[in-house]
Amino acid sequence: MSSEPRCRASGSAESPDLDNDLVWAIRIISGALRRAADESAEALPGGARAYLVLMALAATEEPPTQLELAGRVGLDRTVMTYLLDDLEGLGLLSRRPNPRDRRARHVILTDEGRAQLQRVRTDVAATESRLLAELSEEDRVQFRDLLARVALTAQRGAPGE
């Protein structure tokens, strides 16, 4: 399959082309990945949200505070507190007071949390692989890189906001 994007002449502002619309594409991809994450993480409290929290914790070198973690995964801090309570109750993470600010708590992924994350991540990776089947390995790497860059821009807030 060609690595060139598919564009049709009808894809103008007056006559939109659905398969060339970013909102449509992101929604379809997001829905497929969310369903896979929900199914894979159904044993975790919070489902896909728990998966995102565990992924964010595994990706950090220094344990984040609850507030930092909430910002990283885009969850309301109250929702985050309840979710962390549930995940801590299952032994998937622990919280410790921040020595510099006793009001803040650091969140630490436990070995059991890493094991659960690996199980879910394996299932989600299989879905990702099916979704990216039309792309070469080089295109997959480039797609992930570009998507991550756009996601970071969105997380920071688009320029001019």
Side-chain angles (χ1 to χ4, degrees), residues 11-80:
S12 68
E14 296 81 31
S15 176
D17 186 3
L18 186 61
D19 65 349
N20 223 9
D21 183 81
L22 186 59
V23 172
W24 176 81
I26 296 284
R27 181 169 173 84
I28 296 298
I29 294 166
S30 175
L33 289 172
R34 184 173 294 124
R35 284 188 302 278
D38 280 339
E39 289 170 13
S40 299
E42 67 185 351
L44 298 175
R49 287 179 175 169
Y51 166 72
L52 292 175
V53 166
L54 297 177
M55 279 293 294
L57 288 173
T60 60
E61 291 181 27
E62 293 294 319
T65 65
Q66 288 184 202
L67 190 57
E68 291 166 343
L69 185 58
R72 222 172 265 163
V73 298
L75 288 177
D76 175 80
R77 65 183 183 179
T78 303
V79 171
M80 177 62 78

Coordinates of all heavy atoms in Angstrom, one line a residue, residues 11-80:
G11 N -12.4 16.7 -1.4 CA -12.0 17.1 0.0 C -11.8 18.5 0.2 O -10.9 19.0 0.8
S12 N -12.6 19.4 -0.3 CA -12.5 20.8 -0.2 C -13.4 21.3 1.0 O -14.2 20.5 1.6 CB -13.0 21.6 -1.4 OG -14.3 21.4 -1.6
A13 N -13.3 22.5 1.4 CA -14.1 23.1 2.5 C -15.6 23.0 2.2 O -16.4 22.8 3.1 CB -13.7 24.5 2.8
E14 N -15.9 23.1 0.9 CA -17.3 23.1 0.5 C -17.8 21.7 0.5 O -19.0 21.4 0.7 CB -17.5 23.7 -0.9 CG -17.2 25.2 -0.9 CD -15.7 25.5 -1.1 OE1 -15.0 24.7 -1.7 OE2 -15.2 26.5 -0.5
S15 N -17.0 20.7 0.1 CA -17.4 19.3 0.0 C -16.4 18.5 0.8 O -15.4 18.0 0.3 CB -17.4 18.9 -1.5 OG -17.7 17.6 -1.6
P16 N -16.6 18.3 2.1 CA -15.7 17.6 2.9 C -15.5 16.1 2.6 O -16.5 15.5 2.1 CB -16.2 17.7 4.4 CG -17.6 18.2 4.2 CD -17.8 18.8 2.8
D17 N -14.4 15.6 2.8 CA -14.0 14.2 2.5 C -13.8 13.5 3.8 O -12.8 13.7 4.5 CB -12.8 14.1 1.6 CG -12.4 12.8 1.2 OD1 -13.2 11.8 1.4 OD2 -11.4 12.6 0.5
L18 N -14.8 12.7 4.3 CA -14.8 12.1 5.6 C -13.5 11.4 5.9 O -12.9 11.5 7.0 CB -16.0 11.2 5.8 CG -16.2 10.6 7.2 CD1 -16.4 11.7 8.2 CD2 -17.3 9.7 7.2
D19 N -13.0 10.6 5.0 CA -11.8 9.8 5.3 C -10.5 10.6 5.3 O -9.4 10.1 5.5 CB -11.7 8.6 4.3 CG -11.4 8.9 2.9 OD1 -11.6 10.1 2.5 OD2 -11.1 8.0 2.1
N20 N -10.6 11.9 5.1 CA -9.5 12.8 5.1 C -9.7 13.8 6.2 O -8.9 14.8 6.3 CB -9.3 13.5 3.8 CG -7.8 13.6 3.4 OD1 -7.0 12.9 4.0 ND2 -7.6 14.3 2.3
D21 N -10.6 13.6 7.1 CA -11.0 14.5 8.2 C -10.3 14.1 9.5 O -10.5 12.9 9.9 CB -12.5 14.6 8.4 CG -12.9 15.6 9.5 OD1 -12.9 16.8 9.2 OD2 -13.1 15.1 10.6
L22 N -9.5 14.9 10.1 CA -8.7 14.6 11.3 C -9.6 14.2 12.5 O -9.3 13.3 13.2 CB -7.7 15.7 11.6 CG -6.8 15.4 12.8 CD1 -5.9 14.3 12.4 CD2 -5.9 16.7 13.0
V23 N -10.7 15.0 12.7 CA -11.6 14.7 13.8 C -12.2 13.3 13.6 O -12.2 12.5 14.6 CB -12.7 15.8 13.9 CG1 -13.7 15.4 14.9 CG2 -12.1 17.1 14.2
W24 N -12.6 12.9 12.4 CA -13.2 11.6 12.2 C -12.1 10.5 12.4 O -12.4 9.6 13.1 CB -13.7 11.5 10.7 CG -14.2 10.2 10.4 CD1 -15.4 9.6 10.7 CD2 -13.5 9.2 9.7 NE1 -15.5 8.4 10.2 CE2 -14.3 8.0 9.6 CE3 -12.2 9.1 9.1 CZ2 -13.9 6.9 9.0 CZ3 -11.8 7.9 8.5 CH2 -12.6 6.8 8.4
A25 N -10.9 10.7 11.9 CA -9.9 9.7 12.0 C -9.5 9.5 13.4 O -9.3 8.3 13.9 CB -8.7 10.1 11.1
I26 N -9.2 10.6 14.2 CA -8.8 10.5 15.6 C -9.9 9.8 16.4 O -9.7 8.9 17.2 CB -8.5 11.8 16.2 CG1 -7.3 12.5 15.4 CG2 -8.3 11.8 17.7 CD1 -6.0 11.9 15.8
R27 N -11.2 10.1 16.1 CA -12.3 9.5 16.8 C -12.4 8.0 16.6 O -12.6 7.2 17.5 CB -13.6 10.2 16.5 CG -14.8 9.6 17.2 CD -16.0 10.5 17.0 NE -17.2 9.9 17.6 CZ -17.6 10.0 18.9 NH1 -16.8 10.7 19.7 NH2 -18.6 9.4 19.3
I28 N -12.2 7.6 15.4 CA -12.3 6.2 15.0 C -11.1 5.4 15.7 O -11.3 4.4 16.3 CB -12.3 6.0 13.5 CG1 -13.5 6.6 12.8 CG2 -12.1 4.5 13.1 CD1 -14.8 6.0 13.3
I29 N -9.9 5.9 15.6 CA -8.7 5.3 16.2 C -8.9 5.3 17.7 O -8.7 4.3 18.3 CB -7.4 6.0 15.8 CG1 -7.2 5.9 14.3 CG2 -6.3 5.5 16.6 CD1 -6.1 6.8 13.7
S30 N -9.3 6.4 18.3 CA -9.4 6.5 19.7 C -10.5 5.5 20.2 O -10.3 4.9 21.3 CB -9.8 8.0 20.1 OG -10.1 8.1 21.5
G31 N -11.6 5.4 19.5 CA -12.6 4.5 19.9 C -12.1 3.1 19.9 O -12.4 2.3 20.9
A32 N -11.4 2.7 18.9 CA -10.9 1.3 18.8 C -9.9 1.0 20.0 O -10.0 0.0 20.6 CB -10.2 1.1 17.5
L33 N -9.0 2.0 20.2 CA -8.0 1.8 21.3 C -8.7 1.8 22.7 O -8.3 1.1 23.6 CB -6.9 2.8 21.2 CG -6.0 2.6 20.0 CD1 -5.0 3.8 19.9 CD2 -5.2 1.3 20.2
R34 N -9.7 2.7 22.8 CA -10.4 2.8 24.1 C -11.1 1.5 24.4 O -11.1 1.0 25.5 CB -11.3 4.0 24.1 CG -12.0 4.2 25.5 CD -12.8 5.4 25.6 NE -11.9 6.6 25.5 CZ -12.1 7.5 24.6 NH1 -13.0 7.5 23.7 NH2 -11.2 8.6 24.6
R35 N -11.8 0.9 23.4 CA -12.5 -0.3 23.6 C -11.5 -1.4 24.0 O -11.8 -2.2 24.9 CB -13.3 -0.7 22.3 CG -14.6 0.1 22.2 CD -15.4 -0.5 21.0 NE -14.7 -0.5 19.7 CZ -14.6 0.6 18.9 NH1 -15.2 1.7 19.3 NH2 -14.0 0.5 17.8
A36 N -10.4 -1.5 23.3 CA -9.3 -2.5 23.6 C -8.8 -2.3 25.0 O -8.7 -3.3 25.8 CB -8.2 -2.4 22.6
A37 N -8.5 -1.1 25.4 CA -8.0 -0.8 26.7 C -9.1 -1.1 27.8 O -8.8 -1.7 28.8 CB -7.6 0.7 26.9
D38 N -10.3 -0.8 27.5 CA -11.4 -1.1 28.5 C -11.6 -2.6 28.7 O -11.7 -3.1 29.8 CB -12.8 -0.5 28.0 CG -12.9 1.0 28.3 OD1 -12.2 1.5 29.2 OD2 -13.7 1.6 27.7
E39 N -11.5 -3.3 27.5 CA -11.7 -4.8 27.6 C -10.5 -5.4 28.4 O -10.6 -6.3 29.2 CB -11.8 -5.4 26.2 CG -13.1 -5.1 25.6 CD -13.1 -5.5 24.1 OE1 -12.2 -6.2 23.6 OE2 -14.1 -5.1 23.4
S40 N -9.3 -4.9 28.0 CA -8.1 -5.5 28.6 C -7.9 -5.1 30.1 O -7.4 -5.9 30.9 CB -6.8 -5.0 27.9 OG -6.9 -5.4 26.5
A41 N -8.4 -4.0 30.5 CA -8.3 -3.5 31.8 C -9.6 -3.6 32.6 O -9.7 -3.0 33.7 CB -7.9 -2.0 31.8
E42 N -10.5 -4.5 32.2 CA -11.8 -4.6 32.9 C -11.6 -5.0 34.3 O -12.5 -4.7 35.2 CB -12.8 -5.4 32.1 CG -12.4 -6.9 32.0 CD -13.3 -7.7 31.2 OE1 -14.4 -7.1 30.7 OE2 -13.0 -8.8 30.9
A43 N -10.6 -5.7 34.7 CA -10.4 -6.2 36.0 C -9.8 -5.1 36.9 O -9.8 -5.2 38.2 CB -9.4 -7.4 36.1
L44 N -9.4 -4.0 36.3 CA -8.9 -2.9 37.1 C -10.0 -1.9 37.4 O -10.8 -1.6 36.6 CB -7.8 -2.1 36.3 CG -6.5 -2.9 35.9 CD1 -5.6 -2.1 35.1 CD2 -5.8 -3.4 37.2
P45 N -10.0 -1.3 38.6 CA -11.0 -0.2 38.9 C -10.7 1.0 38.0 O -9.5 1.4 37.8 CB -10.7 0.1 40.3 CG -9.3 -0.4 40.6 CD -9.0 -1.5 39.7
G46 N -11.7 1.4 37.3 CA -11.5 2.6 36.4 C -11.1 2.2 35.0 O -11.0 3.0 34.1
G47 N -10.9 0.9 34.7 CA -10.7 0.4 33.4 C -9.5 1.1 32.7 O -8.4 1.1 33.2
A48 N -9.9 1.7 31.5 CA -8.8 2.4 30.7 C -8.2 3.5 31.5 O -7.0 3.8 31.2 CB -9.4 2.9 29.4
R49 N -8.9 4.2 32.4 CA -8.3 5.2 33.1 C -7.2 4.7 34.0 O -6.1 5.3 34.1 CB -9.3 5.9 34.0 CG -10.3 6.8 33.3 CD -11.2 7.4 34.3 NE -12.1 8.4 33.6 CZ -13.1 8.9 34.1 NH1 -13.5 8.6 35.4 NH2 -13.9 9.8 33.5
A50 N -7.4 3.5 34.6 CA -6.4 2.9 35.4 C -5.2 2.5 34.6 O -4.0 2.7 35.0 CB -6.9 1.7 36.1
Y51 N -5.4 2.0 33.4 CA -4.3 1.7 32.5 C -3.5 3.0 32.2 O -2.2 2.9 32.2 CB -4.9 1.1 31.2 CG -3.9 1.1 30.0 CD1 -2.9 0.1 30.0 CD2 -4.1 1.9 28.9 CE1 -2.0 0.1 29.0 CE2 -3.2 1.9 27.9 CZ -2.2 0.9 27.9 OH -1.3 0.9 26.9
L52 N -4.1 4.1 31.9 CA -3.4 5.3 31.6 C -2.5 5.7 32.9 O -1.4 6.2 32.7 CB -4.3 6.4 31.3 CG -5.0 6.3 29.9 CD1 -6.0 7.4 29.7 CD2 -4.0 6.3 28.8
V53 N -3.1 5.6 34.0 CA -2.4 6.0 35.3 C -1.2 5.1 35.4 O 0.0 5.5 35.7 CB -3.3 5.9 36.5 CG1 -2.5 5.9 37.8 CG2 -4.3 7.0 36.4
L54 N -1.4 3.7 35.3 CA -0.2 2.8 35.4 C 0.8 3.1 34.4 O 2.0 3.0 34.7 CB -0.7 1.4 35.4 CG -1.7 0.9 36.5 CD1 -2.2 -0.5 36.3 CD2 -1.1 1.1 37.9
M55 N 0.4 3.4 33.1 CA 1.4 3.7 32.1 C 2.2 4.9 32.4 O 3.4 5.0 32.3 CB 0.7 3.9 30.7 CG 0.3 2.7 30.0 SD 1.7 1.7 29.4 CE 2.4 2.8 28.2
A56 N 1.5 6.0 32.9 CA 2.2 7.2 33.2 C 3.2 7.0 34.4 O 4.3 7.5 34.3 CB 1.1 8.3 33.6
L57 N 2.8 6.2 35.3 CA 3.7 5.9 36.5 C 4.9 5.1 36.0 O 6.1 5.3 36.4 CB 3.0 5.1 37.6 CG 2.0 5.9 38.4 CD1 1.2 5.0 39.3 CD2 2.7 7.0 39.1
A58 N 4.7 4.1 35.1 CA 5.8 3.3 34.6 C 6.8 4.1 33.7 O 8.0 3.8 33.6 CB 5.3 2.1 33.8
A59 N 6.3 5.2 33.1 CA 7.1 6.0 32.2 C 7.9 7.1 33.0 O 8.6 7.8 32.3 CB 6.2 6.6 31.2
T60 N 7.7 7.2 34.3 CA 8.4 8.3 35.0 C 9.6 7.8 35.7 O 9.6 6.7 36.3 CB 7.5 9.0 36.0 OG1 7.0 8.1 36.9 CG2 6.3 9.6 35.3
E61 N 10.6 8.6 35.8 CA 11.8 8.3 36.6 C 11.6 8.6 38.0 O 12.0 7.9 38.9 CB 13.1 9.0 36.0 CG 13.5 8.4 34.6 CD 14.7 9.1 34.1 OE1 15.5 9.6 34.9 OE2 14.8 9.2 32.9
E62 N 11.1 9.8 38.2 CA 10.8 10.3 39.6 C 9.3 10.1 39.9 O 8.5 10.5 39.0 CB 11.2 11.8 39.7 CG 12.7 12.0 39.6 CD 13.5 11.4 40.8 OE1 13.0 11.5 42.0 OE2 14.5 10.8 40.6
P63 N 9.0 9.6 41.0 CA 7.5 9.5 41.3 C 6.8 10.8 41.3 O 7.3 11.8 41.9 CB 7.5 8.9 42.7 CG 8.8 8.3 43.0 CD 9.8 9.1 42.1
P64 N 5.8 11.0 40.5 CA 5.0 12.2 40.5 C 4.1 12.4 41.7 O 3.8 11.4 42.4 CB 4.2 12.1 39.2 CG 3.9 10.6 39.1 CD 5.2 10.0 39.6
T65 N 3.7 13.6 41.9 CA 2.7 13.8 42.9 C 1.4 13.5 42.3 O 1.2 13.3 41.1 CB 2.7 15.3 43.4 OG1 2.3 16.1 42.3 CG2 4.0 15.8 44.0
Q66 N 0.4 13.3 43.2 CA -1.0 13.0 42.6 C -1.4 14.1 41.7 O -2.0 13.8 40.6 CB -2.0 12.9 43.8 CG -1.8 11.7 44.6 CD -2.9 11.6 45.7 OE1 -2.7 10.9 46.7 NE2 -4.1 12.2 45.6
L67 N -1.2 15.3 42.0 CA -1.6 16.4 41.1 C -0.8 16.4 39.8 O -1.5 16.6 38.7 CB -1.4 17.8 41.8 CG -1.9 19.0 41.2 CD1 -3.4 18.9 41.0 CD2 -1.6 20.3 42.0
E68 N 0.5 16.1 39.8 CA 1.2 16.0 38.6 C 0.7 14.9 37.7 O 0.6 15.0 36.5 CB 2.7 15.8 38.9 CG 3.4 17.0 39.5 CD 4.8 16.7 40.0 OE1 5.1 15.5 40.3 OE2 5.5 17.6 40.3
L69 N 0.4 13.8 38.3 CA -0.1 12.6 37.6 C -1.5 12.9 37.0 O -1.7 12.5 35.9 CB -0.2 11.4 38.6 CG -0.6 10.1 38.0 CD1 0.4 9.6 36.9 CD2 -0.7 9.0 39.1
A70 N -2.3 13.6 37.7 CA -3.6 13.9 37.2 C -3.5 14.8 36.0 O -4.2 14.6 35.0 CB -4.5 14.7 38.3
G71 N -2.6 15.7 36.0 CA -2.3 16.6 34.8 C -1.8 15.8 33.7 O -2.1 16.0 32.5
R72 N -0.9 14.9 33.9 CA -0.3 14.1 32.9 C -1.3 13.2 32.1 O -1.1 13.0 30.9 CB 0.8 13.2 33.5 CG 2.1 13.1 32.7 CD 3.1 12.4 33.5 NE 4.0 13.3 34.2 CZ 4.8 13.0 35.2 NH1 4.9 11.8 35.6 NH2 5.5 14.0 35.8
V73 N -2.2 12.7 32.8 CA -3.2 11.8 32.2 C -4.5 12.5 31.9 O -5.4 11.9 31.3 CB -3.4 10.5 33.0 CG1 -2.2 9.7 33.1 CG2 -4.0 10.7 34.3
G74 N -4.6 13.7 32.3 CA -5.9 14.5 31.9 C -7.1 14.1 32.7 O -8.2 14.1 32.2
L75 N -6.9 13.8 34.0 CA -8.0 13.5 34.9 C -8.2 14.6 36.0 O -7.2 15.2 36.4 CB -7.8 12.2 35.6 CG -7.9 10.9 34.8 CD1 -7.5 9.7 35.7 CD2 -9.2 10.7 34.2
D76 N -9.4 14.8 36.3 CA -9.8 15.7 37.4 C -9.1 15.2 38.7 O -9.1 14.0 38.9 CB -11.3 15.7 37.5 CG -11.7 16.6 38.7 OD1 -11.8 17.8 38.6 OD2 -12.0 15.9 39.8
R77 N -8.6 16.1 39.5 CA -7.9 15.6 40.7 C -8.7 14.8 41.7 O -8.2 13.9 42.4 CB -7.1 16.8 41.4 CG -8.0 17.8 41.9 CD -7.2 18.9 42.5 NE -8.1 19.9 43.1 CZ -7.7 21.0 43.7 NH1 -6.5 21.2 43.8 NH2 -8.6 21.8 44.2
T78 N -10.0 15.1 41.7 CA -10.9 14.4 42.6 C -11.1 13.0 42.1 O -11.0 12.0 42.9 CB -12.3 15.1 42.8 OG1 -12.1 16.4 43.3 CG2 -13.2 14.3 43.7
V79 N -11.3 12.8 40.8 CA -11.4 11.5 40.2 C -10.1 10.8 40.4 O -10.2 9.6 40.7 CB -11.8 11.7 38.6 CG1 -11.7 10.3 37.9 CG2 -13.1 12.3 38.4
M80 N -9.0 11.4 40.2 CA -7.7 10.8 40.4 C -7.6 10.3 41.8 O -7.1 9.1 42.0 CB -6.6 11.8 40.1 CG -5.2 11.3 40.4 SD -4.8 9.8 39.3 CE -4.4 10.7 37.8

